Amino acid sequence: MSAALEALESVPQGTSLAENAYLLLRDRLIMLDIKPGDPINDGQIAAELGIGRTPVREAIKRLESDHLVVSYPRRGTFATGVDITQLAEVSEIRELLEPLASRKAARMASPAMRSELRGVAAAIRDLEGQDNSSQELMRYDIQVHRLIYKASANAHLEDVLIRYDNLATRIWCHMLEKMPSVSGHISEHADLLTAIADGDEDRAAELALHHVVSFEETIRKVL
């Protein structure tokens, strides 16, 4: 894994045990490291993370509200299935909000954030020609989107978009074996991040919309 991706994926310092558990479990569910339908055992997870069951249970409650796990009385808690029929609904929302977030990020990002955006754009361009797994490339996709949402300086917009991007990414990962390549999809981020760093609101919004639309079109081609 590259240093740039490691920096993107680092868990923020000072977060609670429940928050750490939530972030770790969330990304395992998104990337399908925890597969759809797999049981979620709070005791096993607590032992694996070296923490008590209480913060794990708090994390699982949050994951339920994210529609990433589901609990059944007397049966337990399980990772939700991946529902391809949700693609149109998820894409409809993202086509409206992703351009908004990119436009706001181009306007609101701090100088330090703009420098970070340029650095990640350069790292993505350096990926060309490298032998990266589809899973690693998808981790770039997740983290780049989260960086843009953060740069938008709107916590409510960030929260909503993370939830819908998570659902979209699960669909993508579910279809990953049918994809000829995801490198083109990931490389699109470089120009988007550069437009945001340059403060070009119109171009950033245009590229963000194209990215979301092409995502849906790519999925539909392999269905």
Side-chain angles (χ1 to χ4, degrees), residues 35-46:
K35 299 187 183 304
D38 278 358
I40 308 296
N41 185 306
D42 58 359
Q44 182 178 338
I45 292 169

Side-chain angles (χ1 to χ4, degrees), residues 64-70 80-95 163-172 174-175 212 215-216 219-220 223:
E64 279 194 82
S65 68
D66 291 343
H67 305 290
L68 294 174
V69 304
V70 59
T80 56
V82 176
D83 187 355
I84 302 297
T85 64
Q86 293 180 350
L87 177 62
E89 295 175 354
V90 170
S91 296
E92 183 178 41
I93 295 168
R94 294 183 71 221
E95 285 170 15
R163 289 178 179 231
Y164 283 101
D165 185 60
N166 290 345
L167 295 175
T169 301
R170 286 192 93 216
I171 292 173
W172 187 280
H174 183 68
M175 304 298 295
V212 176
F215 161 82
E216 182 178 7
I219 293 291
R220 293 199 179 282
L223 285 176

Side-chain angles (χ1 to χ4, degrees), residues 103-117:
R103 183 181 292 278
K104 284 185 63 64
R107 184 189 319 143
M108 302 296 296
S110 66
M113 178 61 76
R114 292 181 195 277
S115 177
E116 184 175 358
L117 292 166

Side-chain angles (χ1 to χ4, degrees), residues 137-207:
L137 290 173
M138 286 309 300
R139 292 186 190 280
Y140 262 104
D141 185 83
I142 295 170
Q143 302 305 329
V144 166
H145 279 281
R146 291 177 188 171
L147 186 62
I148 294 171
Y149 306 154
K150 181 179 178 182
S152 74
N154 183 321
H156 299 290
L157 180 61
E158 179 181 6
D159 181 62
V160 169
L161 272 171
I162 285 175
R163 289 178 179 231
Y164 283 101
D165 185 60
N166 290 345
L167 295 175
T169 301
R170 286 192 93 216
I171 292 173
W172 187 280
C173 289
H174 183 68
M175 304 298 295
L176 208 52
E177 291 184 359
K178 296 184 179 180
M179 300 288 180
S181 172
V182 297
S183 58
H185 178 75
I186 305 306
S187 65
E188 291 178 1
H189 291 106
D191 287 344
L192 173 57
L193 292 170
T194 300
I196 294 172
D198 289 345
D200 191 337
E201 295 182 34
D202 290 341
R203 175 129 177 94
E206 177 187 350
L207 290 172

